[in-house]
Amino acid sequence: MPRYRTALLAALMIGASGPAFSAAAQTSDDMAMSMQDEENINAPYNEVLATYISQKDGINLFDYGTVTTADKKKLTDYIAALEGERPSQMTADEQIAFWANLYNAKTLDIILENYPVESIRDIKSGVFSSGPWKMKVLTVEGEELTLDNIEHDIVRAKFNEPRVHYAFNCASIGCPNLKTSAWEAETLDEDLDAGARAYIAHPRGISIENGKIITSSIYKWFKKDFGKNDAEVLDHIRQYATGDKLKALEGKTKINGNDYDWSLNDAQ
């Protein structure tokens, strides 16, 4: 996907090369207040997720058709609150959690604005473009942003962390699960691991039939994030595979195909 680099985007990514960027500059009281603010700001989002997410066959589904007007406003107010934050002053873990929450919440909001749809790709961002990913839909620290800007130009560009792909949810069956609560900096590492394990355990992440390995197209579209070749991508997958699937992957160095289901992750 094309990159949209600007000076202001660079400013949004100012910060640490490591996970403890601002901690040294904060007093313990400041850090405690920051943690409390994060908990408060995510509370309405957590309420929405808890109300409308259900799981079927290992896939988290969202009940778009039953969202009340009050809960829709709760979601839009939450997005507006995040837009007022300053991610350029956050630690690395705080930034990843912030951007994932903003991306996922805005994706839900876009689906609700256009519902009913069979797929997020039915929402056009231009004559020749399916999906809403290139529309300027958010403003953070004075910069208008698309969903693509957030995922590719900020998070993927700044952090050498393949597990961020398990944090973003594109409202599709083929995507890693929409987390049932907000991403939090304090538990980011273990939650990313959990997201990776859940996706790789599910057939939509990777399936093995008659010795042939079929992976999600995510591992093709963003191959360079996981490794230079099939063997390195499979090394990444093996880190989170378990049981019979891990045994079936032993010694494998070739991916035989890719697949992705763009159907809406709708509980209806």
Side-chain angles (χ1 to χ4, degrees), residues 154-210:
I154 296 176
V155 177
R156 290 181 59 231
K158 179 169 179 62
F159 303 103
N160 182 25
E161 176 52 83
R163 293 178 302 166
V164 298
H165 289 284
Y166 307 112
F168 291 102
N169 181 270
C170 64
S172 301
I173 294 294
C175 203
N177 274 336
L178 175 63
K179 194 169 178 291
T180 56
S181 61
W183 292 91
E184 302 284 358
E186 292 77 17
T187 59
L188 183 67
D189 189 59
E190 51 261 51
D191 287 342
L192 288 174
D193 276 354
R197 285 193 297 269
Y199 192 57
I200 287 166
H202 197 275
R204 75 190 192 286
I206 178 169
S207 63
I208 307 168
E209 296 181 10
N210 300 319

Side-chain angles (χ1 to χ4, degrees), residues 60-73:
N60 287 353
L61 303 174
F62 194 89
D63 200 351
Y64 298 98
T66 65
V67 177
T68 65
T69 300
D71 284 340
K72 175 68 165 62
K73 185 176 187 303

Side-chain angles (χ1 to χ4, degrees), residues 11-26 31 34-35 37-39 41-42 78 81-102 140-141 154-155 158-159 183-186 188:
L12 285 172
M13 296 187 291
I14 291 173
S17 57
F21 159 58
S22 61
Q26 290 182 307
M31 293 178 68
S34 176
M35 290 174 63
D37 287 345
E38 183 179 6
E39 291 171 1
I41 202 170
N42 287 333
Y78 170 70
L82 289 187
E83 287 182 285
E85 293 291 288
R86 298 183 63 193
S88 64
Q89 302 302 310
M90 296 178 183
T91 68
D93 285 357
E94 288 170 344
Q95 287 180 58
I96 292 173
F98 168 84
W99 290 118
N101 288 332
L102 183 56
V140 178
E141 294 191 281
I154 296 176
V155 177
K158 179 169 179 62
F159 303 103
W183 292 91
E184 302 284 358
E186 292 77 17
L188 183 67

Side-chain angles (χ1 to χ4, degrees), residues 139-151:
T139 302
V140 178
E141 294 191 281
E143 174 67 9
E144 291 185 345
L145 298 170
T146 68
L147 294 175
D148 269 359
N149 288 150
I150 291 174
E151 182 178 6

